[in-house]
Amino acid sequence: MFFILGVQQEARELDFDQTAICPCCGRFGHLRIVRVCTVLSLFFLPVLRWGRRYEARMGCCGAACPLPEALGRDVERGRVTALNLSDLPFTGRGPRRCRRCGYETGEDFDFCPRCGTRF
């Protein structure tokens, strides 16, 4: 008898979308909230989730910052509809994502390493 177990990170985008000027790159973009947790799977079915944390991510340059647990839960439950960007600790640019193929990289490339599209 054998078991197929797996542990992986799961990132789920919450139903929150706010337009704003990015504090890192200065462009107009969308602020989205993402819930990240670790998942234990048994036979490819999620069994247990732990280590839940929330992040605010900008869609223009990929800048990200952690959110407090209570604020993240309120956003997930729909109690918070808008956030003040000056209260969030954005420190810099996060991983960049290609608009064409979805490849994520932390490097400062001008073109996507996978498909060659300009970032």
Side-chain angles (χ1 to χ4, degrees):
M1 179 185 260
F2 65 92
F3 293 101
I4 300 175
L5 292 172
V7 177
Q8 62 186 8
Q9 290 285 320
E10 176 186 71
R12 180 172 293 168
E13 194 170 293
L14 301 180
D15 188 25
F16 181 87
D17 189 12
Q18 177 180 337
T19 56
I21 303 293
C22 180
C24 296
C25 69
R27 291 187 288 173
F28 189 72
H30 291 269
L31 174 69
R32 296 198 171 104
I33 307 299
V34 178
R35 181 184 72 190
V36 181
C37 60
T38 306
V39 179
L40 172 70
S41 299
L42 177 65
F43 293 109
F44 307 107
L45 298 172
V47 176
L48 181 66
R49 288 183 173 89
W50 72 91
R52 180 181 298 175
R53 67 186 197 284
Y54 297 92
E55 293 180 354
R57 293 184 185 170
M58 290 300 296
C60 53
C61 66
C65 74
L67 283 180
E69 183 81 18
L71 181 61
R73 276 198 218 123
D74 287 345
V75 169
E76 188 172 17
R77 293 177 182 152
R79 295 179 188 159
V80 175
T81 57
L83 295 174
N84 188 357
L85 263 65
S86 61
D87 296 339
L88 299 178
F90 280 103
T91 56
R93 185 185 246 174
R96 297 173 77 185
R97 178 174 287 194
C98 177
R99 291 183 180 140
R100 182 175 178 202
C101 68
Y103 181 76
E104 268 192 21
T105 180
E107 301 293 324
D108 194 21
F109 295 123
D110 289 333
F111 295 91
C112 175
R114 182 180 287 167
C115 69
T117 305
R118 182 181 279 285
F119 277 116

